Amino acid sequence: MADTAKMSIGEKTVELPILKGVDGPDVVDIRKLYAEADVFTYDPGFTSTASCESKITFIDGDAGILLHRGYPIDQLAEKSSFLEVCYLLLHGELPSAAEAEEFEKTITYHTMLHEQFDRFFQGFRRDAHPMAIMVGAVGALSAFYHDSTNVEDPQQRMISSHRLIAKMPTIAARAFKYFRGQPFVHPRNDLSYAENFLRMCFSVPAEDWVPNPVLTRAMDRIFILHADHEQNASTSTVRLAGSSGANPFACIAAGIACLWGPSHGGANEEALNMLKEIGTVDRIPEYVQGVKDRRYRLMGFGHRVYKNYDPRATVMQKTCHEVLAEVGNSDDPLLKVAIELERIALSDPYFIERKLYPNVDFYSGITLRALGFPPEMFTVLFAVARTVGWIAQWKEMIEDPLQKIGRPRQIYTGSPARDYTAISTR
Ligand code: CMC
């Protein structure tokens, strides 16, 4: 392929460099287009626009491939641990044994929250949605940890990254406990990341949480599956917020707000609601007809990038079966509905033509419910896991010498210039 693209606009021809990544389609560099041709490009939803250069995650949506720093997601889910994946995303390489030990210790010793932080939760209505609490509480971290908000200082950037990865499960568990009306449970340094989180969610003063290796492993794997996903809506939100120099805690709060929407992280909650609404296998054809009539979408299906099976969905489906077998619920009627719905959708021309496959959210709702979480917590768990991806991408952006404040252009279609008229004449 040529290394420049030619664009003709009226009499003018502009030569634009073509950039090559390690993999994925070539990219036409349009940075000089406005200066040389006096035009903008138009791409709502960024369907054809690369907003940055990144070395963290690669997705081949047609082939159903997801790599973190080059490592396939299925290998990481099978062989690695969430904290090891956190290290990989943050530092670019898998840790040595000594680095892994030090990293685990650092994260473990940052899990506690400032005592005054707990008072913050009391301001929420007792039935507040845990995601509403997350948006507010994570933003409030910037009011407690002033010593790690200077984005120009690499050491402060690393400290805030560790704090966010470490404190997010504690905040998430508190959001859950507050929503449930139960007392907060403090983290314990002798437990793993996933164990600590499950214990902080499910332990009550009257009865301690009983560890279960299958469920702990499933929780850890769910965290791995959601750790990063290149330039999705919430990550792009974090990058855009951070491009102005805002502190990392505020940027991650912005990411959480974006994640909440049903087209993004909120889809796992919606997918479970959909399976409940369908209820039984015999109602699937009627429901699928409603999707074809465009009355609603099949939640947990389709993806902007994957036009093939989402590789995370394959691991999630396996994890779902393992968890249901462990909790003695292999006959869960919703699992039957999900399996049959997937079978019907994958053989129906409507879904085949549009390349709609199950995404990570299709089986995650049933799995998380079996782990004991109510639907309101599903997106919160996604936020806990995605924090490392957001912070790794934020750091990469800050450290990129080409980084500029994000400032998209527009096509203005409003009124042309006109003179103000006095109210009496309107
Ligand atoms: N059910 C039915 N039809 C769908 C669906 C769906 N879930 N998703 C896309 N379509 C159809 C859509 O109607 C359109 O058809 P047509 O060309 O006839 O108008 C075509 O497929 C392309 O859809 P689009 O809206 O242009 O695609 P998009 O890339 O803008 O949307 C999406 C991606 C994820 C927002 C969308 O697939 C969706 O709404 N899915 C359901 C929500 C969901 O599961 N989200 C989780 C995504 S994975 C986790 C995450 O990223 O947070």
Side-chain angles (χ1 to χ4, degrees):
M1 202 189 212
D3 48 11
T4 55
K6 285 194 176 65
M7 192 190 255
S8 298
I9 302 155
E11 301 287 284
K12 249 187 231 164
T13 299
V14 189
E15 284 217 4
L16 301 166
I18 296 179
L19 309 179
K20 289 185 188 302
V22 169
D23 210 334
D26 290 346
V27 172
V28 180
D29 179 350
I30 58 162
R31 276 175 292 180
K32 298 230 163 67
L33 188 63
Y34 178 48
E36 291 185 7
D38 206 23
V39 290
F40 296 147
T41 53
Y42 180 59
D43 185 16
F46 302 101
T47 52
S48 298
T49 299
S51 61
C52 63
E53 186 191 318
S54 183
K55 294 183 167 52
I56 301 174
T57 292
F58 173 73
I59 302 174
D60 182 336
D62 292 322
I65 289 171
L66 167 61
L67 310 176
H68 291 320
R69 304 284 190 183
Y71 297 103
I73 188 67
D74 51 319
Q75 290 183 22
L76 293 173
E78 195 60 41
K79 299 176 183 168
S80 184
S81 69
F82 179 63
L83 281 188
E84 191 177 62
V85 172
C86 288
Y87 186 98
L88 175 69
L89 290 170
L90 271 182
H91 295 280
E93 294 297 335
L94 288 168
S96 66
E99 286 164 341
E101 193 183 332
E102 193 192 330
F103 184 70
E104 192 156 341
K105 189 162 180 233
T106 304
I107 298 301
T108 305
Y109 280 80
H110 276 98
T111 49
M112 281 183 64
L113 293 165
H114 192 288
E115 191 62 16
Q116 284 175 10
F117 195 88
D118 279 350
R119 289 194 220 144
F120 197 81
F121 292 92
Q122 311 306 323
F124 288 96
R125 236 176 81 140
R126 67 180 160 75
D127 56 352
H129 193 290
M131 276 301 275
I133 300 180
M134 292 298 287
V135 176
V138 174
L141 284 173
S142 37
F144 284 81
Y145 299 101
H146 301 285
D147 58 343
S148 57
T149 53
N150 178 3
V151 303
E152 304 297 333
D153 179 344
Q155 208 192 341
Q156 290 200 29
R157 289 202 294 272
M158 195 47 90
I159 294 172
S160 60
S161 304
H162 291 156
R163 280 182 168 153
L164 275 157
I165 296 167
K167 293 182 198 307
M168 199 62 83
T170 316
I171 299 175
R174 274 160 164 63
F176 179 47
K177 287 299 196 188
Y178 192 76
F179 173 75
R180 279 252 160 120
Q182 292 177 356
F184 294 160
V185 177
H186 291 289
R188 257 183 30 199
N189 289 352
D190 59 324
L191 299 179
S192 73
Y193 192 85
E195 278 175 329
N196 229 334
F197 179 62
L198 289 171
R199 184 179 161 274
M200 285 191 288
C201 287
F202 298 120
S203 196
V204 288
E207 195 173 324
D208 204 355
W209 168 77
V210 181
N212 175 318
V214 176
L215 304 187
T216 301
R217 179 72 190 120
M219 187 75 263
D220 197 68
R221 198 177 289 149
I222 291 169
F223 286 153
I224 294 175
L225 292 181
H226 290 87
D228 190 49
H229 213 226
E230 51 118 307
Q231 308 313 318
N232 57 86
S234 58
T235 302
S236 299
T237 300
V238 170
R239 278 187 178 254
L240 194 57
S243 75
S244 71
N247 77 68
F249 304 108
C251 295
I252 301 302
I256 295 173
C258 178
L259 185 74
W260 198 357
S263 296
H264 193 4
N268 50 15
E269 190 174 337
E270 295 299 325
L272 187 76
N273 290 339
M274 175 191 76
L275 295 175
K276 280 189 195 156
E277 195 185 322
I278 298 172
T280 47
V281 167
D282 58 301
R283 291 203 51 222
I284 294 176
E286 179 194 333
Y287 196 86
V288 169
Q289 191 53 49
V291 174
K292 292 184 189 171
D293 295 342
R294 294 171 181 273
R295 279 186 277 136
Y296 37 75
R297 286 189 168 204
L298 204 51
M299 299 313 284
F301 255 72
H303 199 276
R304 169 62 60 79
V305 183
Y306 293 119
K307 301 302 168 198
N308 199 327
Y309 216 94
D310 178 342
R312 302 168 302 170
T314 319
V315 184
M316 186 56 85
Q317 188 195 46
K318 189 168 164 258
T319 307
C320 181
H321 284 289
E322 284 169 14
V323 169
L324 289 181
E326 183 64 20
V327 300
N329 205 5
S330 296
D331 291 333
D332 186 341
L334 294 194
L335 179 65
K336 290 206 175 91
V337 174
I339 292 171
E340 184 60 9
L341 184 57
E342 182 183 349
R343 193 192 63 76
I344 291 180
L346 291 181
S347 56
D348 189 309
Y350 183 91
F351 296 91
I352 295 171
E353 276 161 24
R354 289 169 180 77
K355 299 187 176 170
L356 297 171
Y357 290 85
N359 59 49
V360 67
D361 290 324
F362 192 64
Y363 282 100
S364 68
I366 311 177
T367 317
L368 294 173
R369 190 179 69 139
L371 283 170
F373 292 104
E376 291 84 353
M377 277 300 285
F378 296 175
T379 317
V380 173
L381 294 163
F382 195 155
V384 170
R386 183 56 57 86
T387 296
V388 63
W390 289 329
I391 203 74
Q393 300 263 356
W394 169 83
K395 262 177 84 284
E396 185 180 64
M397 178 205 61
I398 299 281
E399 288 158 17
D400 182 348
L402 297 179
Q403 188 265 326
K404 279 174 184 283
I405 185 166
R407 187 18 176 125
R409 300 293 192 153
Q410 63 168 15
I411 303 181
Y412 177 66
T413 52
S415 168
R418 50 184 165 166
D419 288 324
Y420 179 83
T421 52
I423 196 161
S424 56
T425 63
R426 280 175 232 158

